[in-house]
Amino acid sequence: MPKEEHEDPQVTGKNRYKYFEWPFLPFYKQMPLNVVLATPKQDIPHSYITTVKKSQSHIALVHTQGTQTDYRDSETQTDPYTPEYVVCQETIPEILTLATLTWGRGLPAGLAEVEMIERAREKRAWEATLPPLSNDLLFNKRRKMMNDMERKEWAFREHEIEKLQELQLEVLKHLLKKREEDQNEVNIKRLNAQWSELQEEREMKMSRIRHAHVTAIRKMTKKGRNVEGKLERRDIIRDYNDFASQAYGPLSRLGRFPDNNSERFVVKNHFLSTFEGILELESTLPDFVTQPRIKTPKPKAITTKNNFLKKAARLDLELAEVHQALLEKKRKVPEPKKKLFFLQRRPVPVARLPTPTLEMCSSEEEDIEMAIVYLQKLLRGRVIQNMMFEGKEKRLELIQELRTSHSLQEDDRLVKKLEKQVTLALQRQRNLHEEKMSMIEDYLAGLEGKSLADMFDFLSKELIRLQEERRIHAFAMLAERQRRIREAEESGRRQVEQRRQREEDQIFKEVIKVHQSTVTSYLEDIILNTEESTAEEQAREEIQKMAEEINDIAYEIENRRTHLQSEEIVAELVYSFLIPEVQKTFVKEKVRNLQKKHIRAAHQIIHQNTEKVIQQSQKELTLTFKPRAESEIDKMYARFQAKKEKRSKKDKKDKKSD
């Protein structure tokens, strides 16, 4: 669309009055009560205007008129507004538990949200009934209640998972059914397309056969009209009555060309054939013919004042798009046929015989020709008669001799007659025997043909049955193979789904376990820290009290004791602290001296074995890489590691017991 440039409308300047208008209100009652529209000047009576002019000397420059908008509140509506709130310190309102729900995600609340709210209420009520952690009995009771609640939650979670799985199965069934229906529809469309193609081929073949049949029948009828090959005269009335005859539409293969001598119909004029005539003709023409005045056409406006497309322009665009789509469909080249896998023999067309030509002749010539043909027939017949008469005259003596030789005696005639009868009887018997033998042979041939036909029929049927059986067996094998492949694919998908489901369940269990372990460890840490802090405070208080008492007692004893008592105290300290420490150091030194022998022997054994192992390893490296047998050093190292693990376990147990 062409870009239109507009001038400054000057809304706040001189054209301000153009942008205020009385609104169109079809229903005045729908306006709110707090809106009061200014009445138009036309509806105000004249008396009221005069009184206002007299009473009000000052008139405002700006008047507020009623306005009307094209938008509604529902078109600009967003999510429901949530106001701010303030919560007291000691109260926790129940409505704040639904703060996570928003419009479209839980709100407005449905059956699932109501069930969730009820479960949250039950859980808060259950948490209120939990016993405190004051002693072991209440702690065990609390743990038992929490375990029961955890089992219930797990059961509810499993029930929810089963529901989700059932929904997923229903969706999967629906999708499989839809896919099967789509596949059946595609197969039906394909079969319909193939059937239509075969029908088109059949119709084309039938049309070709009908056309060939009609042409053959026409040729046969044309040949049957003149079987004897007689010449027929031309019927001028019939030719001019038939508009498909040679009189109206002559054929060029008969030597008639209608376009010959077409030059005589060409218009020959002095003004068109010579240059001077053309100049003379141009001089007679007016100026606007030789000197055209072309005005540039103005572009047709296809938009309205508000820059909207007109209906006619929109229709033209739609028609242009449809025309372009039709042209693309028409220009679409069909896909070429696939190449043949094997070579085919291309039939060589038979050379066409030359077309005979018939020269046209007049009726007199035709009569003369018919007369000549008839005269030729008469002359040929007469010549044959003369030749036969001449031959009879030449062989007249032989004919008479033959006639005299047949006139024999009667006895000879009777003998000849008897011989003739005997020969006729023999011929008759031989004919009867031949007929009998031929009947027997025909009967035997019929039996043989019948048996052979039955045998060939049976063999052909057996061959067809075997072929059908093999084909059905092949189809069955293909169907079984396809079924197994689909079962394998389905089992694979099912295993993947089950594995993924197990992984998700295990992940969920591990997450829940981690949460529970973190909660328990956090609670244990809190309990232990509180116990340690309370025990430490109590111990400090008791130690401080005992220290104060001991200090008081020690100060009193210091004030009261004598020299002998101080010596006794020193003797007790020496006997209870110094002497046992000296005995301990003496015993440790004795044990160390006793263990030196064993340590030296172990060192000697280790060094000897290590030297042997080093020598053996060097030999093995020089020869081949073979797996090394377990040596005594490895055994000793394994024993040392086992002892070390046992000691670490014992230390851990001692720490736990402490």
Side-chain angles (χ1 to χ4, degrees):
M1 293 175 61
K3 188 176 180 181
E4 297 182 1
E5 296 181 358
H6 301 281
E7 298 179 357
D8 187 9
Q10 296 183 7
V11 179
T12 58
K14 64 179 181 178
N15 296 328
R16 183 181 174 85
Y17 68 95
K18 294 180 181 179
Y19 296 91
F20 291 91
E21 188 180 0
W22 180 258
F24 176 70
L25 301 173
F27 301 102
Y28 181 74
K29 292 182 180 179
Q30 292 182 358
M31 297 297 293
L33 298 174
N34 57 356
V35 175
V36 179
L37 299 176
T39 57
K41 296 179 180 180
Q42 298 174 0
D43 297 339
I44 302 172
H46 188 267
S47 61
Y48 179 76
I49 294 170
T50 54
T51 54
V52 168
K53 285 182 179 180
K54 290 179 181 178
S55 60
Q56 295 181 358
S57 61
H58 179 70
I59 299 172
L61 297 175
V62 179
H63 294 278
T64 303
Q65 294 279 356
T67 58
Q68 183 179 8
T69 179
D70 293 335
Y71 298 99
R72 296 175 61 190
D73 292 340
S74 60
E75 294 179 358
T76 58
Q77 186 67 36
T78 57
D79 292 342
Y81 172 67
T82 303
E84 296 180 357
Y85 54 88
V86 178
V87 182
C88 297
Q89 295 181 357
E90 297 179 356
T91 60
I92 300 174
E94 188 180 7
I95 192 91
L96 287 180
T97 57
L98 305 177
T100 56
L101 301 178
T102 58
W103 186 263
R105 295 182 179 179
L107 292 177
L111 182 60
E113 286 77 11
V114 173
E115 291 178 355
M116 183 186 70
I117 292 165
E118 292 296 329
R119 285 199 306 274
R121 285 177 177 173
E122 291 176 359
K123 191 169 183 180
R124 286 197 296 273
W126 172 77
E127 288 176 354
T129 58
L130 286 174
L133 298 171
S134 58
N135 53 14
D136 293 339
L137 292 174
L138 294 175
F139 181 74
N140 293 328
K141 186 178 179 182
R142 185 185 181 92
R143 180 182 291 175
K144 186 178 180 182
M145 291 175 69
M146 291 177 72
N147 290 332
D148 295 338
M149 192 65 186
E150 185 179 359
R151 290 193 196 95
K152 289 180 182 179
E153 288 181 355
W154 273 110
F156 178 74
R157 176 63 180 167
E158 289 176 356
H159 183 63
E160 291 291 328
I161 291 168
E162 288 177 358
K163 282 185 179 179
L164 291 173
Q165 289 176 354
E166 289 177 357
L167 289 172
Q168 289 176 357
L169 285 174
E170 291 294 331
V171 172
L172 184 61
K173 287 179 182 177
H174 180 67
L175 291 174
L176 290 172
K177 188 176 180 182
K178 188 176 180 182
R179 187 182 69 179
E180 189 174 358
E181 290 176 356
D182 294 340
Q183 189 66 32
N184 291 332
E185 189 175 355
V186 170
N187 293 333
I188 289 166
K189 287 182 179 178
R190 191 180 299 149
L191 290 174
N192 290 333
Q194 292 179 358
W195 184 79
S196 62
E197 289 178 0
L198 292 174
Q199 287 293 324
E200 288 177 359
E201 291 179 1
R202 176 176 169 275
E203 291 295 333
M204 291 173 68
K205 289 180 181 178
M206 290 291 291
S207 63
R208 291 197 200 102
I209 292 166
R210 289 195 194 96
H211 184 67
H213 173 70
V214 170
T215 53
I217 292 295
R218 192 182 293 117
K219 289 178 181 179
M220 289 174 66
T221 53
K222 191 174 182 180
K223 287 180 181 179
R225 288 174 187 171
N226 191 6
V227 180
E228 298 177 357
K230 293 181 180 181
L231 294 172
E232 294 181 358
R233 292 184 178 181
R234 180 187 176 193
D235 192 356
I236 298 172
I237 297 170
R238 186 180 64 187
D239 289 345
Y240 279 93
N241 192 23
D242 186 10
F243 292 100
S245 63
Q246 295 293 324
Y248 292 100
L251 299 175
S252 59
R253 62 186 174 85
L254 298 178
R256 186 73 178 274
F257 299 97
D259 293 336
N260 288 343
N261 301 321
S262 60
E263 298 86 7
R264 59 187 177 180
F265 299 108
V266 177
V267 178
K268 295 179 181 179
N269 195 351
H270 168 71
F271 293 103
L272 299 177
S273 58
T274 60
F275 182 69
E276 292 80 5
I278 292 171
L279 292 175
E280 187 178 354
L281 186 62
E282 283 185 357
S283 62
T284 58
L285 296 174
D287 294 337
F288 66 86
V289 176
T290 57
Q291 297 176 2
R293 300 177 183 85
I294 300 170
K295 293 182 180 180
T296 56
K298 294 181 179 179
K300 191 177 179 181
I302 59 173
T303 57
T304 59
K305 294 180 180 179
N306 298 326
N307 292 331
F308 289 107
L309 279 174
K310 292 183 180 179
K311 188 175 181 181
R314 199 181 302 113
L315 289 174
D316 291 338
L317 289 173
E318 291 176 358
L319 289 172
E321 290 176 358
V322 172
H323 180 64
Q324 188 66 26
L326 291 173
L327 287 176
E328 289 177 358
K329 189 175 181 182
K330 190 183 291 183
R331 293 170 186 169
K332 190 176 181 181
V333 181
E335 295 181 358
K337 293 184 178 179
K338 294 182 180 178
K339 294 182 179 180
L340 299 174
F341 292 102
F342 305 102
L343 295 174
Q344 289 187 352
R345 187 184 296 277
R346 182 175 291 176
V348 179
V350 182
R352 189 174 180 183
L353 296 173
T355 306
T357 58
L358 180 65
E359 295 180 357
M360 301 297 292
C361 58
S362 62
S363 60
E364 294 177 357
E365 293 177 357
E366 189 176 354
D367 294 338
I368 293 167
E369 189 177 357
M370 293 295 288
I372 291 167
V373 171
Y374 184 67
L375 185 60
Q376 286 177 357
K377 288 180 181 179
L378 288 175
L379 291 172
R380 285 171 185 167
R382 196 64 179 170
V383 168
I384 291 167
Q385 286 179 0
N386 291 331
M387 288 172 67
M388 289 176 68
F389 184 74
E390 288 176 358
K392 188 185 75 168
E393 290 293 332
K394 285 179 181 180
R395 293 167 182 80
L396 187 60
E397 294 177 357
L398 292 174
I399 291 168
Q400 288 178 359
E401 186 179 355
L402 287 172
R403 286 176 180 175
T404 56
S405 66
H406 282 288
S407 60
L408 299 174
Q409 296 178 3
E410 293 182 0
D411 295 335
D412 294 334
R413 289 179 181 176
L414 291 173
V415 172
K416 293 280 185 182
K417 191 175 183 180
L418 289 172
E419 288 178 357
K420 185 179 180 181
Q421 289 177 358
V422 170
T423 53
L424 289 172
L426 290 172
Q427 287 179 359
R428 199 178 293 113
Q429 288 179 0
R430 188 180 64 187
N431 292 331
L432 290 172
H433 182 68
E434 287 178 357
E435 287 178 1
K436 187 176 180 181
M437 292 301 293
S438 65
M439 289 176 66
I440 292 168
E441 287 177 358
D442 292 338
Y443 184 70
L444 291 173
L447 291 175
E448 288 177 359
K450 189 176 181 181
S451 62
L452 288 172
D454 293 338
M455 184 176 65
F456 287 144
D457 187 19
F458 175 73
L459 290 174
S460 65
K461 289 180 180 177
E462 283 293 321
L463 180 62
I464 292 166
R465 187 182 64 79
L466 287 172
Q467 290 176 355
E468 291 293 328
E469 186 177 355
R470 287 180 182 176
R471 191 164 65 85
I472 291 166
H473 182 66
F475 284 155
M477 292 290 288
L478 288 172
E480 184 68 21
R481 182 169 172 273
Q482 191 70 19
R483 185 180 64 79
R484 288 178 181 175
I485 291 169
R486 288 182 179 177
E487 285 181 355
E489 291 176 356
E490 190 65 28
S491 62
R493 285 196 292 271
R494 196 181 299 111
Q495 288 176 3
V496 170
E497 290 290 334
Q498 290 177 357
R499 193 183 300 113
R500 187 173 64 188
Q501 186 177 357
R502 286 197 296 271
E503 289 176 357
E504 290 178 356
D505 294 341
Q506 189 66 28
I507 289 166
F508 182 74
K509 289 179 182 178
E510 291 295 331
V511 170
I512 295 298
K513 192 183 291 183
V514 168
H515 290 329
Q516 290 178 354
S517 61
T518 52
V519 171
T520 52
S521 62
Y522 179 68
L523 293 173
E524 287 177 357
D525 292 337
I526 291 170
I527 292 165
L528 291 173
N529 290 327
T530 52
E531 287 179 354
E532 287 177 359
S533 61
T534 52
E536 187 177 358
E537 289 177 358
Q538 290 178 1
R540 283 180 180 177
E541 290 177 357
E542 290 177 358
I543 288 165
Q544 192 173 2
K545 288 179 182 179
M546 289 175 66
E548 290 177 356
E549 291 176 358
I550 290 167
N551 286 330
D552 296 336
I553 294 166
Y555 289 147
E556 289 179 358
I557 291 169
E558 283 289 334
N559 295 325
R560 293 179 183 177
R561 83 179 170 186
T562 59
H563 183 68
L564 292 173
Q565 289 177 352
S566 61
E567 288 180 355
E568 287 178 359
I569 290 166
V570 171
E572 286 179 359
L573 291 170
V574 170
Y575 182 76
S576 59
F577 289 102
L578 279 176
I579 293 171
E581 188 67 25
V582 172
Q583 288 178 356
K584 285 181 183 179
T585 55
F586 180 73
V587 170
K588 286 180 181 179
E589 189 68 26
K590 190 176 181 180
V591 170
R592 193 179 295 111
N593 292 326
L594 290 171
Q595 287 179 352
K596 280 183 181 179
K597 299 176 182 179
H598 302 288
I599 291 167
R600 287 175 184 173
H603 279 294
Q604 290 177 1
I605 292 166
I606 289 165
H607 285 297
Q608 290 175 2
N609 292 326
T610 52
E611 289 176 357
K612 290 179 182 179
V613 169
I614 289 165
Q615 291 175 2
Q616 288 178 0
S617 62
Q618 289 177 356
K619 289 179 181 179
E620 289 175 357
L621 288 169
T622 55
L623 296 173
T624 55
F625 290 95
K626 291 184 179 180
R628 183 172 61 81
E630 189 176 4
S631 62
E632 293 182 0
I633 295 172
D634 297 331
K635 292 179 182 179
M636 291 175 68
Y637 183 73
R639 290 171 192 165
F640 179 72
Q641 291 290 335
K643 287 180 181 180
K644 192 174 181 181
E645 289 178 357
K646 286 181 182 179
R647 286 175 185 173
S648 63
K649 288 180 181 179
K650 284 181 181 180
D651 294 337
K652 288 180 181 178
K653 287 181 181 179
D654 294 337
K655 287 180 181 179
K656 287 182 179 179
S657 61
D658 295 338

